Amino acid sequence: MIPMVDDHGRRMRKLRLSLLDTCNLRCTYCMPEKMEFLPSDQLLSQQEILGITENLLGFGLQEVRVTGGEPTLRREFMDIMVGLSQLPIKRLGLTTNGITLSKYLEDLKHDTDLKSINISLDSLDPDNFKRITRRDLFQRVFKGIVQAQDLGFEVKLNCVLMKGVNDHEIHDFIEFSAQYQVEVRFLELMKIGQANRGSLKDSFMEADEAANQILSRYEMSSLPVAMDSTSYKYKLSNGAVIGFIASESKPFCGSCSRWRLSAEGQLRACLMKEDGVNLRGVSPSDYESRLRELLGMKPIGRIEKIEQDMYQIGG
């Protein structure tokens, strides 16, 4: 194993693996209503995904989180998850919007090494969920959350906070966390794609503002997290566990340990940078030079914004 460590001492050990850019929601901060996604012949094949991942594991990557778009929409989703489970990955995770999760959960539990599932959920109100996602599918997500919990997966909910959109639901999420014993993570709205344009430009809510609201009703005790964690988290007096991913106000670039593989085979050093190195069709003997090149692309400080939409980058 040849660990990838850059000049700032950051060791790359986590991979975000995008299976496709297609999604069955149209969240207002992520993409426009009318979409054209990549044709399937431009996506990495199942064999390419597994081959690239295996090669990257040889350079010190330890954790893989499968993302999209919405990864469960990939025709070979289960085959890919089974294939990844046969690789020496220390921790396999999944990020999903939960819409089609239920039909895969039993197989994921019994046929794969999947341990953690992050489910994106920006509202607990079905009507508000529909306004944000442009789809009336809240009950499907709720069903997936409960079923995943019952099957013993480590479930976290990711809620993108938006002022005037869902910030009035903060306490509802906290009570939900306590009732269902699921960690809720509040994410700051990032300056990515759609969030840079239109009505959402004024919707940013800082994590500290949300924390102050919470402190008016609950006591908060800090919980330990890994040094390269994207979130910091708390146990609340009602039993809830919450986290904050404050990418804008408290960037964690200095300890970032992540690379991101796009659905087309481009490995990126940073969510906020469009450049990277192409790994499609690359011989294993050429990996080290390309990865060393990528290390030099990883910024040490926060990049203000990126015009590309989130679904194209990988969640």
Side-chain angles (χ1 to χ4, degrees), residues 69-206:
E70 171 47 42
T72 61
L73 297 181
R74 177 78 184 238
R75 184 180 59 185
E76 309 95 339
F77 170 68
M78 274 306 306
D79 291 334
I80 291 171
M81 295 300 291
V82 170
L84 290 171
S85 299
Q86 296 170 354
L87 299 178
I89 297 170
K90 288 190 176 180
R91 185 172 177 83
L92 179 61
L94 172 69
T95 295
T96 172
N97 62 29
I99 301 298
T100 56
L101 179 61
S102 286
K103 71 177 184 178
Y104 293 112
L105 282 170
E106 290 283 353
D107 289 339
L108 287 169
K109 182 66 177 179
H110 297 111
D111 298 338
T112 78
D113 287 337
L114 180 67
K115 297 295 188 294
S116 68
I117 303 177
N118 291 356
I119 300 175
S120 300
L121 181 64
D122 298 323
S123 177
L124 292 168
D125 174 356
D127 291 332
N128 201 29
F129 178 92
K130 183 178 179 180
R131 282 190 288 270
I132 295 170
T133 66
R134 302 188 181 109
R135 298 292 185 269
D136 189 12
L137 296 169
F138 171 80
Q139 293 302 330
R140 291 197 196 178
V141 183
F142 179 77
K143 178 183 177 182
I145 294 168
V146 173
Q147 187 178 351
Q149 282 282 90
D150 289 344
L151 286 170
F153 287 103
E154 177 189 317
V155 179
K156 297 177 184 177
L157 302 187
N158 288 342
C159 172
V160 177
L161 281 181
M162 292 169 282
K163 193 171 291 188
V165 178
N166 64 356
D167 57 321
H168 62 286
E169 295 190 57
I170 290 174
H171 295 301
D172 294 332
F173 273 103
I174 288 170
E175 293 303 323
F176 186 93
S177 171
Q179 180 180 352
Y180 290 96
Q181 292 297 291
V182 57
E183 180 180 336
V184 174
R185 304 194 300 180
F186 297 112
L187 284 67
E188 290 182 344
L189 182 66
M190 299 177 71
K191 296 174 184 174
I192 297 176
Q194 299 293 310
N196 291 321
R197 303 184 282 273
S199 60
L200 287 175
K201 289 182 69 175
D202 299 321
S203 298
F204 175 76
M205 184 176 192
E206 194 169 307

